[in-house]
Amino acid sequence: MKVLFAAGDPKPERWTKPIKTLLPEADVYVWDPNGPVVDADYAIVWQPPTALFEREKNLKAIFNLGAGVDGLMALPVLPPTLTVVRLEDAGMSAQMAEYVLHQLVEASRDMEAYREQQRQGTWKIHRPIRRNDWPVGIMGLGQIGQRVASTLAALDYPVNAWARGKHDLDGVHTYAGTGELGPFLSTTRVLVNTLPLTEATRDLIDYPLLSQLLPDAVVINVGRGESLVEEDLLRALDEGQVARASLDVFREEPLPADHPFWRHRGVTVTPHISARTLRESTIEQITGKIRAHAAGRPISGVVDRARGY
Ligand code: GLV
């Protein structure tokens, strides 16, 4: 079996060595645009070059080194019937849950004000938190959204969630489909986006949507930048409808130096780090799936090409 690694890591042996250890039956290659055609059975990719699909014509499946496959789906050269597998959790959902919790607590526990007080040498106690003042609404209930929801619910925040289809989740009120988006938004103050980017979710979070949130809203985007209309968020911030936003993903990454988000008082920016791909668990997951697929066993995480995730 031939496995091709094409993820643009300057040190690919960090990946290929443990892949060989866990999958001794495979010959493992690193993508080389000038090398011979490998005729690989499987490719492990992140933002792969289009030439890969022009040259490697016998791929049985490709494994994405991330949960979001929007970049892959946008490649016109991606063969329409090729099996695409996304990363499932692999340590990402815990990272996402703690990132979202951290951003929420910054707001709900007045952390910024206490930091400022420390700078001033001021000992002043603010009124205690009332959790009912901080109803959270999570968009997207994949593995990541579910972990965020259950983490916040376990800390007694009121948690609602909205997804395309109906879900049952302990302690979380769930809404489904476009028909229930309005009721979901009107009970949400802290909006968390964990949705995959598809045609249905592109530009979904716009001014009309933000206007339906409870007053002093908080927006936390850990999904994809293209789901958020950035100028609409700026308008909602400037009008006070949204009090603050924590953004980890952007329409253009790296975020351009002159982007207003960098310097906006109400905006916290992080460079797409809310959930990093963790090498060890990722390699373990992918090599296990390659072995299962090669043996004809079913694997999870296969992308529904029509749905886009
Ligand atoms: C990162 O953005 C991922 O899709 O895993």
Side-chain angles (χ1 to χ4, degrees):
M1 166 207 312
K2 292 177 180 174
V3 175
L4 177 59
F5 179 77
D9 188 321
K11 290 187 189 154
E13 62 286 353
R14 294 192 291 199
W15 295 84
T16 51
K17 261 180 90 177
I19 292 171
K20 275 184 202 154
T21 307
L22 289 182
L23 208 58
E25 64 269 42
D27 295 319
V28 185
Y29 301 80
V30 176
W31 166 254
D32 174 0
N34 304 312
V37 171
V38 167
D39 197 23
D41 301 288
Y42 298 101
I44 299 173
V45 306
W46 181 250
Q47 299 177 339
T50 53
L52 184 137
F53 301 103
E54 285 152 9
R55 296 180 50 183
E56 298 294 330
K57 294 291 188 191
N58 290 314
L59 290 166
K60 298 187 174 87
I62 61 168
F63 292 83
N64 190 46
L65 287 178
V69 291
D70 45 290
L72 277 177
M73 296 296 116
L75 291 176
V77 290
L78 190 72
T81 54
L82 178 60
T83 299
V84 177
V85 187
R86 55 200 190 85
L87 200 57
E88 295 181 287
D89 196 338
M92 276 189 289
S93 65
Q95 294 177 70
M96 281 284 190
E98 72 193 352
Y99 180 97
V100 171
L101 175 63
H102 177 103
Q103 300 302 329
L104 166 58
V105 167
E106 278 286 319
S108 68
R109 300 290 301 274
D110 282 342
M111 289 306 183
E112 201 172 310
Y114 284 120
R115 272 196 300 274
E116 182 53 32
Q117 283 181 210
Q118 179 177 358
R119 281 191 284 271
Q120 311 285 334
T122 304
W123 182 279
K124 180 181 158 213
I125 296 169
H126 300 206
R127 70 166 206 187
I129 181 173
R130 290 205 329 227
R131 278 173 157 64
N132 284 343
D133 288 345
W134 298 94
V136 180
I138 295 161
M139 303 182 90
L141 273 178
Q143 287 180 335
I144 287 169
Q146 290 193 22
R147 183 68 179 265
V148 173
S150 58
T151 300
L152 302 185
L155 288 169
D156 300 338
Y157 284 94
V159 180
N160 301 303
W162 176 82
R164 198 174 123 112
K166 195 77 199 133
H167 286 74
D168 266 326
L169 204 60
D170 255 6
V172 178
H173 189 113
T174 58
Y175 297 81
T178 36
E180 290 181 14
L181 183 56
F184 162 77
L185 294 169
S186 64
T187 55
T188 295
R189 177 172 177 197
V190 182
L191 185 73
V192 181
N193 176 42
T194 71
L195 287 166
L197 177 66
T198 66
E199 279 324 299
T201 65
R202 183 179 302 278
D203 298 330
L204 178 65
I205 306 172
D206 58 4
Y207 186 78
L209 182 146
L210 294 169
S211 306
Q212 295 172 66
L213 296 171
L214 292 168
D216 289 321
V218 175
V219 173
I220 302 174
N221 190 13
V222 290
R224 281 290 185 262
E226 291 91 335
S227 292
L228 173 72
V229 182
E230 295 181 341
E231 53 275 32
D232 286 14
L233 174 65
L234 285 166
R235 179 176 162 202
L237 279 160
D238 292 340
E239 291 175 358
Q241 159 62 17
V242 172
R244 53 192 293 156
S246 297
L247 308 174
D248 186 52
V249 287
F250 305 90
R251 298 187 90 92
E252 189 182 342
E253 295 179 9
L255 186 64
D258 59 351
H259 199 292
F261 284 159
W262 281 115
R263 275 163 293 275
H264 199 291
R265 270 188 60 81
V267 177
T268 298
V269 162
T270 50
H272 203 139
I273 48 75
S274 57
R276 305 290 311 280
T277 295
L278 303 179
R279 213 162 43 237
E280 220 171 285
S281 29
T282 298
I283 290 171
E284 215 169 283
Q285 179 177 120
I286 292 178
T287 52
K289 286 185 184 182
I290 290 178
R291 180 171 292 128
H293 191 272
R297 293 198 302 271
I299 54 173
S300 61
V302 174
V303 171
D304 176 337
R305 297 289 296 273
R307 211 174 56 164
Y309 66 96

